[in-house]
Amino acid sequence: MTININGDQHWQTALDWIQREHENALDESAQAELAAWLKASPDHLKAYEEARRVWLAAGLVPPAGGGI
């Protein structure tokens, strides 16, 4: 997996969408906006899928300094 997080606007936008999805359920309008963004470019979909994998993996990693 290759992740380009430095200066990559697609990555940042994808991460913003992932965060919005996890903070609150997206309403119908937001879901349509996300779908349109994903369909606009294969790069958008790729960035979203990578951001989602990173988000899920980060949730499985215990916080640093957890007393281990």
Side-chain angles (χ1 to χ4, degrees):
M1 171 173 52
T2 302
I3 301 171
N4 179 11
I5 60 173
N6 296 324
D8 188 338
Q9 185 59 42
H10 297 320
W11 168 260
Q12 185 58 55
T13 301
L15 193 55
D16 290 344
W17 276 114
I18 299 294
Q19 185 174 2
R20 284 179 62 186
E21 285 180 308
H22 283 76
E23 288 177 352
N24 301 310
L26 297 180
D27 63 18
E28 192 172 312
S29 174
Q31 288 176 2
E33 187 180 343
L34 172 58
W37 182 76
L38 291 171
K39 289 178 185 177
S41 169
D43 291 338
H44 293 180
L45 181 58
K46 182 179 177 184
Y48 178 84
E49 289 172 346
E50 288 179 358
R52 186 174 204 147
R53 281 193 294 271
V54 169
W55 185 278
L56 292 173
L60 301 175
V61 176
I68 297 177

